[in-house]
Amino acid sequence: MSHRLVYSFEEGDKGQSDLLGGKGANLAEMTRLGIPVPPGFTITTEACKQYLLDREVPLELEIEITKALRNLEDKIQKRLGDKDNPLLVSVRSGAKYSMPGMMETILNVGLNDQSVLGLAKQTNNPRFAWDAYRRLIQMYGKTVLNIDGSIFAKELEKLKISLNLNADHEVPESALKDLVGIYKKIILEETGSEFPQTPREQLDSSIRAVFDSWNTERAKLYRRRERIPDDLGTAVNIGAMVFGNMGSDSGTGVCFTRNPATGASGSYGDYLQNAQGEDVVSGIRNTLTLEDLGQIEPKIFDELHEIMYKLETHYRDMCDIEFTVERGRLWILQTRIGKRTASAAFRIAAQLVDEQIITMDEALLRVNGQQLAQLMFPQFDNKNAPEPITRGIPASPGATVGKAVFDSQRAKEFADRGENIILIRRETNPDDLGGMIASVGILTSRGGKTSHAAVVARGMGKTAICGAEEMNVDEVNHRASVNGIDIFEGDFLSIDGTTGEVFLGAVDAKPSTIVKYLLHGITDATKDQVADDIELIRAVDRLLRHSDRRKKLAVRANADNGEDANIARKFGAQGIGLCRTEHMFLGDRRVLIERVILAKSAEQRESALAALLPLQRADFIKLLEEMDGLPTTIRLLDPPLHEFLPDISDLRVKSALNRERNIVNEEVEALLHSVELMHESNPMLGLRGVRLGLVSPGLYELQVGAIAEAMAELIIRGLNPKVEIMIPLVGSHMELRITRNAAERVIQKIAQENKLDLPIEIGTMIELPRAALTSNRIGPVADFFSFGTNDLTQTTWGFSRDDVEAEFFSRYFELGIFTISPFETIDEFGVGELVRIAAERGRSVNPNLHLGVCGEHGGDPESIHFFHNIGLDYVSCSAFRVPIARLEAGRASIANLNAATTDK
Ligand code: ADP
Ligand code: MG
Ligand code: MG
């Protein structure tokens, strides 16, 4: 296994990010393109892995570094540590996936007490040389020697105050010399050793520090959160330094080939004169815009724009570029595909198509469902929003306004008064559940995307921000403070779970223009909008329509009534995948179902059922009218009957009170008796679904009758209803056979009465492992399978969602047992495997069987790709997620096409 561990920038290319890291691969690519990159070399991720394994730098690596360094020195005619003409280098981390702020960079390596004089002489700029030296000691101290960075920063501050100066670049040479002395003393005091004067020692320790930074706690945490594998390692890039801190004809900047925030075309960036490295992003001085740079250095500005154009057309995407100007000469230090907001992603993708840089298929791969979801949430009106008082980790999206409350009890009291509240906690635990349910939003000062607060909030669809670390939460005294602002109970707060921003006061939220477009069409939505919004709406429209052309999976919606169906259809649903009939028995109708349940004779029962029939029929007529021409799956009653009866403890209290007062209330006693009979210790696994249908004579027949009559009526009215009846919770083919036969008899009867054909499909949910495994026996009896992946997840794992999310999921995330909740993204290996098996076995016995998913996974991007790949026919999700599913279904087929072509 003899492979090289070091490559010069002239050798690699952008395809080698596995080996050279993203930064290294792109430096090599730019070098190849003839873009002015300071020369250098990259130590591979393989070398890092080997180092992390052996805890020492392999000998071959030391040799290769020596050779590469020699080449570099020859190329630019300077030597590391030379007292007259020293070479200085930067030592930079760079993993395959960018991990911003996670790992380290050390600049100006190679300076010591001798070479600083050489640098001063050679550049004729002693102030600059001492500035570079103090920066090296500072960065080296912090990064390599792990000294608290604020110790250095404080000394610099002290110095500036004593000299009455505001900015770093105003500090004169003599003071910088003093500062170097002070910094060296700090190093000696903190570590017991002198700042190393040997450049190679500086270099080697810096390389080791970069390797080690792969395994810092925060880097590990970041990777877990971003799902980046732990075993990739980081490359190290060593490059000749160029200096933006040589005076006002020098500077450093960051630019984007398009605006990464809005997606507006045209370059965008910041520039800082007389500065080095991170100065530009650290906010120490106000930066200039690119236009300002155009005024100061027109030639540099033109050259930069040429390079931007070259990079963007080469990478065929928006690029993010770091550059430095050294005495009127431009150097490019880094590029990568730029991160962008959701709206920028859509706009840029469409622009690149129009500029003939990418195809529509590629454009579709440049956006995703997550981004579309972001665009569909209401947003705070940025123009009118105040500055955020702090930021946290955006844990559950949405824009929410409410009153601050600091404990669950108070939360419930506020909510009972009908007030919207935001629950603020240091972190949450299962005891806070009541408070979380009572709030519209949750804000914590600790924890990340997988903390208890985050997991539960997402499960409940509530806005949440976690880990707002600047905020101090005083739960005892019901207050919080952040950046000098106090928040008391009852104060209005606005939180944006999409950006992580927290605002004081009630900020106006504006409804999403994209939702408006989906509901009312493009003409309506673009009326009276600003140009930016119009461009965004058009981009979304184009990409969604293209996705519809490409997708193989149909997208249906879960909708229980006519109104939801109407919205779902506007959002592009191609049918209803799940209409739950439960709600049809609630509200005013509860008494009717009570009568069914409590009926003492067949007669009583039938009359009670007969009263329900017209109501059910009316519901179905409304739903089927809305969905005219599109398949509509109606599920027969699923939950346990006692859910329709009053609460058992309420009844017990009533009965006891009656007894005390010697009152006889037969109704209460009868109800209590029935409820007690039906009481189950584990209702999720009890008498529900098809079991209920089998033991409650007439119930399913009633529903089937109502469906068939509704269908008949619509056909007579000239409509085209397409009905599918779904039997829930089947575990044995016999359950389905018996239920199906009964249903067919009812349908047949109604068809004959109306002298019509009623071609109703009858199928089943697959939501029990046994159903999946025996699907070759169930398949012949079913016209379709619909995977109820929520219940299938619960029954496969053997846990109930409500209990686990609050109780132990966050711990499971910490332990790495889950990286994502199996209720959010389908567990491919377990639950997904059951789906795959059922699809395969079902189809093998019944080639006409059609297959869909009606659990919430049907709206989850990753799960949709999985369902596409195993060849299902459709996914069904809540109306709001239909556009997201449409987009992801299209992306899944293209991603597949791509895979197919690369295989060949
Ligand atoms: P990050 O990955 O955090 O962006 P970088 O490795 O890009 O870190 O470097 C940090 C800063 O140092 C950047 O502003 C970069 O432009 C600057 N820098 C890196 N190498 C050099 C160099 N050879 N000459 C001048 N500045 C450099
Ligand atoms: Mg960088
Ligand atoms: Mg179910």
Short mmCIF file of all heavy atoms in Angstrom, two decimals, residues 578 580 635 638 688 728-729 765-767 788-792 794 854, ligand 3:
data_model
loop_
_atom_site.label_atom_id
_atom_site.label_comp_id
_atom_site.label_asym_id
_atom_site.label_seq_id
_atom_site.Cartn_x
_atom_site.Cartn_y
_atom_site.Cartn_z
N LEU A 578 -55.48 8.81 1.71
CA LEU A 578 -56.03 8.41 3.01
C LEU A 578 -57.07 9.41 3.46
O LEU A 578 -56.76 10.56 3.72
CB LEU A 578 -54.92 8.32 4.07
CG LEU A 578 -55.37 8.04 5.51
CD1 LEU A 578 -56.07 6.70 5.62
CD2 LEU A 578 -54.19 8.10 6.47
N ARG A 580 -59.48 9.57 6.55
CA ARG A 580 -59.82 8.90 7.81
C ARG A 580 -61.28 9.21 8.10
O ARG A 580 -61.69 10.36 8.05
CB ARG A 580 -58.97 9.44 8.95
CG ARG A 580 -57.49 9.25 8.78
CD ARG A 580 -56.77 9.93 9.94
NE ARG A 580 -55.33 9.74 9.88
CZ ARG A 580 -54.52 10.54 9.21
NH1 ARG A 580 -55.00 11.58 8.54
NH2 ARG A 580 -53.23 10.30 9.20
N ARG A 635 -60.69 5.11 4.25
CA ARG A 635 -60.40 4.05 5.21
C ARG A 635 -61.58 3.87 6.16
O ARG A 635 -62.11 4.83 6.71
CB ARG A 635 -59.16 4.40 6.02
CG ARG A 635 -58.82 3.34 7.04
CD ARG A 635 -57.58 3.65 7.83
NE ARG A 635 -57.81 4.73 8.78
CZ ARG A 635 -56.84 5.26 9.52
NH1 ARG A 635 -55.59 4.85 9.38
NH2 ARG A 635 -57.11 6.22 10.37
N ASP A 638 -61.05 3.09 12.20
CA ASP A 638 -59.83 2.46 12.71
C ASP A 638 -59.68 2.49 14.23
O ASP A 638 -59.37 1.47 14.83
CB ASP A 638 -58.62 3.12 12.03
CG ASP A 638 -57.31 2.50 12.45
OD1 ASP A 638 -57.30 1.33 12.87
OD2 ASP A 638 -56.28 3.17 12.34
N ARG A 688 -59.23 -2.57 17.53
CA ARG A 688 -59.32 -1.45 16.60
C ARG A 688 -59.16 -2.00 15.19
O ARG A 688 -58.94 -3.19 14.99
CB ARG A 688 -58.25 -0.41 16.91
CG ARG A 688 -56.86 -0.99 17.03
CD ARG A 688 -55.80 0.07 17.22
NE ARG A 688 -55.57 0.76 15.95
CZ ARG A 688 -54.36 1.19 15.56
NH1 ARG A 688 -53.31 1.02 16.34
NH2 ARG A 688 -54.23 1.78 14.40
N PRO A 728 -58.33 -1.18 7.51
CA PRO A 728 -57.14 -0.93 8.33
C PRO A 728 -56.72 -2.12 9.18
O PRO A 728 -57.55 -2.97 9.52
CB PRO A 728 -57.58 0.24 9.23
CG PRO A 728 -59.06 0.11 9.34
CD PRO A 728 -59.54 -0.53 8.07
N LEU A 729 -55.45 -2.13 9.51
CA LEU A 729 -54.88 -3.01 10.52
C LEU A 729 -55.08 -4.51 10.28
O LEU A 729 -55.28 -5.29 11.21
CB LEU A 729 -55.42 -2.64 11.91
CG LEU A 729 -54.38 -2.77 13.03
CD1 LEU A 729 -53.41 -1.61 12.99
CD2 LEU A 729 -55.04 -2.86 14.38
N MET A 765 -54.53 -1.62 4.39
CA MET A 765 -53.31 -1.00 4.86
C MET A 765 -52.35 -2.10 5.25
O MET A 765 -52.77 -3.15 5.75
CB MET A 765 -53.59 -0.15 6.09
CG MET A 765 -54.36 1.08 5.76
SD MET A 765 -54.43 2.17 7.18
CE MET A 765 -53.06 3.22 6.90
N ILE A 766 -51.08 -1.83 5.02
CA ILE A 766 -50.06 -2.74 5.55
C ILE A 766 -49.40 -1.96 6.66
O ILE A 766 -48.64 -1.02 6.42
CB ILE A 766 -49.04 -3.13 4.46
CG1 ILE A 766 -49.73 -3.78 3.27
CG2 ILE A 766 -47.96 -4.04 5.06
CD1 ILE A 766 -50.20 -5.20 3.46
N GLU A 767 -49.74 -2.32 7.89
CA GLU A 767 -49.19 -1.56 9.02
C GLU A 767 -48.80 -2.47 10.19
O GLU A 767 -48.51 -2.00 11.27
CB GLU A 767 -50.16 -0.47 9.47
CG GLU A 767 -51.58 -0.96 9.67
CD GLU A 767 -52.58 0.18 9.84
OE1 GLU A 767 -52.18 1.29 10.24
OE2 GLU A 767 -53.78 -0.04 9.59
N GLY A 788 -49.13 1.97 5.87
CA GLY A 788 -49.34 2.92 6.96
C GLY A 788 -48.04 2.96 7.75
O GLY A 788 -47.88 2.26 8.75
N THR A 789 -47.10 3.74 7.27
CA THR A 789 -45.74 3.64 7.82
C THR A 789 -45.61 4.18 9.23
O THR A 789 -44.65 3.87 9.92
CB THR A 789 -44.72 4.33 6.89
OG1 THR A 789 -45.20 5.64 6.59
CG2 THR A 789 -44.54 3.54 5.62
N ASN A 790 -46.56 5.00 9.68
CA ASN A 790 -46.49 5.44 11.09
C ASN A 790 -46.72 4.24 12.00
O ASN A 790 -45.91 3.94 12.86
CB ASN A 790 -47.55 6.50 11.40
CG ASN A 790 -47.36 7.74 10.56
OD1 ASN A 790 -46.30 7.96 10.00
ND2 ASN A 790 -48.41 8.54 10.48
N ASP A 791 -47.86 3.57 11.77
CA ASP A 791 -48.15 2.40 12.60
C ASP A 791 -47.14 1.29 12.34
O ASP A 791 -46.74 0.58 13.26
CB ASP A 791 -49.57 1.89 12.33
CG ASP A 791 -50.56 2.48 13.33
OD1 ASP A 791 -50.15 2.73 14.47
OD2 ASP A 791 -51.73 2.69 12.96
N LEU A 792 -46.72 1.16 11.10
CA LEU A 792 -45.75 0.10 10.81
C LEU A 792 -44.44 0.36 11.57
O LEU A 792 -43.79 -0.58 12.04
CB LEU A 792 -45.49 0.00 9.30
CG LEU A 792 -44.71 -1.23 8.83
CD1 LEU A 792 -45.41 -2.53 9.24
CD2 LEU A 792 -44.50 -1.22 7.31
N GLN A 794 -44.30 1.96 14.46
CA GLN A 794 -44.59 1.67 15.88
C GLN A 794 -44.61 0.17 16.12
O GLN A 794 -44.05 -0.32 17.10
CB GLN A 794 -45.94 2.25 16.28
CG GLN A 794 -46.04 3.75 16.09
CD GLN A 794 -47.19 4.35 16.88
OE1 GLN A 794 -47.02 4.73 18.02
NE2 GLN A 794 -48.36 4.43 16.26
N CYS A 854 -49.21 5.89 2.90
CA CYS A 854 -50.05 6.96 3.42
C CYS A 854 -49.62 7.45 4.78
O CYS A 854 -50.26 8.28 5.38
CB CYS A 854 -51.52 6.54 3.43
SG CYS A 854 -51.84 5.21 4.59
MG MG B 3 -52.81 2.86 11.35
#
